[in-house]
């Protein structure tokens, strides 16, 4: 059945997948029509409306994908809501035209001119231009506007902005910023990097999917991996350096939080959250993550995983210097890069080595980096290599990086929810947030190298994943060779599914893999499942608790103060 449906419209507040500029974006579903014809008509209607609003200098960008498209319009930052309205009206005109109707836009256009006049904020644009002229950081949202970072922050209410000559520009300094993205390892990498800064005596700020923190002080718990978290952190007086976790959702919903980073790290690319905002393939996801390159300023560098074929392919679109990292010193991408006197970080025997200007600098060894478990946790070896590249780019010494790596372990205090290992009456219990097949594979690879009398896995999944993704997660965990399963429901993560629906899919997949019904226990929550798992455990067992929820309660069960 043919249809044209608007899926989502939103503001873009920074560089984004489609463009380098703020603006608006609209995602649509297109079924039964030629996508190219639809987009061309849509672009024509946008241009007509922009001309009517005296926005002729603004640019239009589109991205077409299977059964849909996205179209973005660049816009002044004081008119993003009106830009959304323009985009939406242009889409309505397109639908009317393609369906044989005629859209009367005169009334709507008159309304747009009124809302545009009401939204315009000359003081905001004037301050933005002045900040650019003074090379000062400029941050804004619907409530507040600021120039400068950290101790140099000067902040005003959105509707009470100063004249440029009233600003102390000499104090509106910037702090170094680094962006960290990827499918897995983002939170571990920002936390590890902050430990390097701490070893150097620098008060580093961290945003992540778990919390926002300055130094050792957590400002708030929650998902702060979007632009809002970055603004909060960069405006905090104690922030001297910022490590900003940048998630896929934040990039697609609002764009990048800053436009002048000193470095950016992409850890890896794997299937996760596919099917949202027109990102339907892993290659699409690699393109989204690579958007961070647009924020790298002069003299900055992009740190990439040379063991990830999708990132190697994306490198052809990168116009900034690159530092490659790899678990293999003979990686062909690394060797080619080094021939051109490039920067790379590799695992050579048991050494973590930064190769710069043709010289090898051994930063540490596996035995000195607790989170690698002497190399058994290969995914954390890769995280350490990426962070070394990031921190060398930021100017940290080899000794400072060595100290940071050595001080960062796998405890719930160092890296909550990421490979936390506990001794429970002689049983080894790992608690991890792994929530996609790629991350579960990494954990399984680690645990398979460790001895165990028996193995148990506690498994659940969020309801917003496809049935196949849920089944893939079960298959990945099954590779560990599991004696006992506990399949948990996640009441806080149903996300459109019914209670018990996800566990039923997991149990069905386990049955197809040959797991006997008596080896599978069900629980209504993760915490309840953890109690069941711990009551089953005995000396010499190995338990993997994939805790997407109730982690603090589980930590308490395991004896953390």
């Amino acid at each position: 059945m043919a249809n044209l449906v608007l899926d989502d419209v939103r503001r873009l507040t920074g560089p984004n997948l489609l463009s380098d500029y703020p603006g608006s974006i609209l995602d649509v579903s297109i079924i039964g029509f030629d996508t190219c014809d639809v987009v061309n008509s849509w672009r024509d209607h946008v241009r007509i409306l922009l001309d009517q609003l005296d926005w002729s200098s603004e640019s239009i960008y589109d991205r077409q994908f299977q059964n849909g498209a996205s179209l973005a319009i660049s816009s002044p930052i004081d008119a993003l809501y009106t830009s959304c309205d323009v985009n939406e009206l242009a889409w309505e005109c397109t639908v009317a035209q393609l369906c044989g109707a005629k859209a009367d836009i005169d009334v709507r256009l008159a309304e747009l001119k009124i809302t545009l006049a009401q939204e315009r904020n000359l003081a905001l644009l004037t301050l933005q231009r002045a900040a650019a002229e003074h090379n000062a950081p400029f941050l804004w949202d619907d409530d507040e506007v600021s120039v400068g970072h950290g101790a140099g922050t000067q902040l005003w209410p959105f509707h009470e902005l100063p004249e440029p000559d009233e600003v102390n520009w000499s104090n509106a300094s910037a702090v170094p910023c680094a962006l960290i993205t990827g499918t897995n390892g983002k939170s571990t990498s920002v936390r590890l990097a902050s430990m390097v800064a701490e070893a150097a005596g620098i008060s580093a700020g961290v945003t992540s999917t778990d919390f926002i923190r300055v130094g050792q002080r957590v400002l708030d718990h929650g998902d702060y991996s979007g632009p809002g978290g970055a603004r909060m952190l960069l405006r905090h007086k104690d922030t001297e350096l910022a490590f900003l976790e940048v998630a896929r959702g934040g990039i697609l919903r609002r764009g990048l939080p800053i436009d002048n980073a000193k470095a950016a790290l992409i850890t890896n690319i794997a299937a996760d959250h596919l099917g949202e905002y027109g990102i339907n393939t892993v290659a699409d996801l690699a393109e989204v993550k690579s958007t961070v390159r647009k924020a790298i300023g002069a003299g900055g560098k992009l740190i990439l995983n040379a063991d990830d074929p999708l990132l190697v392919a994306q490198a052809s679109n990168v116009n900034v210097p690159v530092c490659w990292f790899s678990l293999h010193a003979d990686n062909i991408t690394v060797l080619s890069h080094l021939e051109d006197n490039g920067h790379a970080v590799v695992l050579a025997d048991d050494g973590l080595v930064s190769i710069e200007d043709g010289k090898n600098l051994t930063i540490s060894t596996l035995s000195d980096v607790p989170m690698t478990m002497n190399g058994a946790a290969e995914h954390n070896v890769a995280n350490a290599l990426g962070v070394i590249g990031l921190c060398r780019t930021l100017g940290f010494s080899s000794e400072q990086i060595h100290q940071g790596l050595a001080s960062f372990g796998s405890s719930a205090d160092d890296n909550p929810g990421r490979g936390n290992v506990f001794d429970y009456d002689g049983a080894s219990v790992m608690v991890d947030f792994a929530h996609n097949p790629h991350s579960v594979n990494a954990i399984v690879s680690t645990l398979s190298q460790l001895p165990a009398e028996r193995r148990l896995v506690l498994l659940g999944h969020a309801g917003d994943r496809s049935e196949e993704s849920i089944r893939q997660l079960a298959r990945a965990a099954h590779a560990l060779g599991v004696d006992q399963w506990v399949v948990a429901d996640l009441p806080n993560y149903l996300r459109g599914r019914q209670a018990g629906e996800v566990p039923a899919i997991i149990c069905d997949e386990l049955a197809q893999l040959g797991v006997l019904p008596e080896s599978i226990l069900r629980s209504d929550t993760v915490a309840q499942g953890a109690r069941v798992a711990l009551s089953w455990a005995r000396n010499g067992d190995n338990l993997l608790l994939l805790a997407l929820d109730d982690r603090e309660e589980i930590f308490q069960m395991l004896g953390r103060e």
Side-chain angles (χ1 to χ4, degrees), residues 50-84:
L50 291 178
D51 289 344
Q52 290 290 326
L53 294 171
D54 293 326
W55 279 5
S56 301
S57 61
E58 300 301 338
S59 299
I60 305 170
Y61 310 86
D62 69 79
R63 177 178 176 271
Q64 301 177 30
F65 45 87
Q66 184 177 10
N67 295 330
S70 301
L71 187 143
I73 310 170
S74 68
S75 311
I77 63 172
D78 69 332
L80 298 187
Y81 287 105
T82 302
S83 180
C84 290

Side-chain angles (χ1 to χ4, degrees), residues 349-389:
D349 296 323
D350 68 342
L352 284 66
V353 181
S354 182
I355 307 171
E356 308 167 26
D357 300 322
K359 298 178 181 178
N360 289 13
L361 182 65
T362 299
I363 302 295
S364 197
T365 61
L366 292 175
S367 60
D368 290 332
V369 186
M371 74 174 192
T372 71
M373 302 174 70
N374 286 317
E378 198 171 72
H379 60 292
N380 273 339
V381 179
N383 288 332
L385 294 172
V387 168
I388 290 171

Side-chain angles (χ1 to χ4, degrees), residues 156-461:
W156 304 273
F158 186 84
H159 292 293
E160 299 176 21
L161 301 181
E163 295 294 333
D165 59 6
E166 296 173 339
V167 176
N168 181 3
W169 295 108
S170 63
N171 195 46
S173 56
V175 303
C177 298
L179 305 180
I180 294 93
T181 194
T183 301
N184 296 306
K186 300 184 295 295
S187 294
T188 296
S189 295
V190 295
R191 294 167 182 170
L192 178 58
S194 72
M195 294 300 290
V196 174
E198 182 176 309
I202 295 173
S203 175
V206 165
T207 62
S208 72
T209 52
D210 291 322
F211 52 66
I212 181 169
R213 189 183 72 196
V214 178
Q216 292 302 312
R217 180 188 173 196
V218 175
L219 305 183
D220 196 12
H221 289 277
D223 186 348
Y224 282 97
S225 60
R231 288 192 296 271
M232 185 186 302
L233 179 68
L234 291 171
R235 287 169 174 167
H236 195 281
K237 296 295 185 180
D238 294 335
T239 300
E240 297 175 345
L241 184 153
F243 294 106
L244 308 173
E245 180 176 339
V246 183
R248 165 210 59 91
I251 296 173
L252 291 170
R253 282 191 290 270
R254 289 288 181 262
L256 298 177
I258 58 173
D259 58 7
N260 194 21
K262 297 285 287 184
L265 164 65
I266 308 179
T267 58
N268 49 60
I269 304 294
D272 198 17
H273 292 285
L274 298 182
E276 299 177 4
Y277 302 112
I279 306 305
N280 300 319
T281 69
V282 184
D284 292 343
L285 190 58
E287 188 179 357
V288 173
K289 301 291 188 179
S290 296
T291 301
V292 294
R293 72 187 187 279
K294 298 182 179 182
I296 298 175
K301 195 176 291 183
L302 179 63
I303 295 85
L304 294 175
N305 187 344
D307 298 329
D308 192 311
L310 288 165
L311 290 177
V312 173
Q314 278 292 320
S316 61
N317 301 320
V318 173
N319 58 358
V320 296
V322 170
C323 167
W324 291 103
F325 68 93
S326 174
L327 294 167
H328 311 285
D330 60 353
N331 179 288
I332 189 170
T333 299
V334 168
L335 293 177
S336 175
H337 189 59
L338 292 176
E339 286 180 359
D340 293 332
N341 208 35
H343 181 197
V345 185
V346 299
L347 178 66
D349 296 323
D350 68 342
L352 284 66
V353 181
S354 182
I355 307 171
E356 308 167 26
D357 300 322
K359 298 178 181 178
N360 289 13
L361 182 65
T362 299
I363 302 295
S364 197
T365 61
L366 292 175
S367 60
D368 290 332
V369 186
M371 74 174 192
T372 71
M373 302 174 70
N374 286 317
E378 198 171 72
H379 60 292
N380 273 339
V381 179
N383 288 332
L385 294 172
V387 168
I388 290 171
L390 185 75
C391 289
R392 288 298 291 168
T393 299
L394 292 170
F396 289 100
S397 71
S398 59
E399 179 58 29
Q400 290 166 342
I401 299 173
H402 174 85
Q403 289 181 25
L405 296 178
S407 64
F408 188 80
S410 294
S411 74
D413 294 316
D414 289 331
N415 201 17
R418 272 74 178 181
N420 309 141
V421 180
F422 298 82
D423 181 281
Y424 187 80
D425 294 336
S428 176
V429 182
M430 177 179 284
V431 181
D432 199 277
F433 186 69
H435 60 285
N436 55 55
H438 182 270
S439 56
V440 172
N441 283 334
I443 296 298
V444 166
S445 176
T446 300
L447 292 181
S448 65
Q449 300 179 58
L450 305 178
E453 294 291 330
R454 303 179 302 168
R455 298 186 188 277
L456 175 147
V457 169
L458 166 64
L459 180 64
H461 209 6

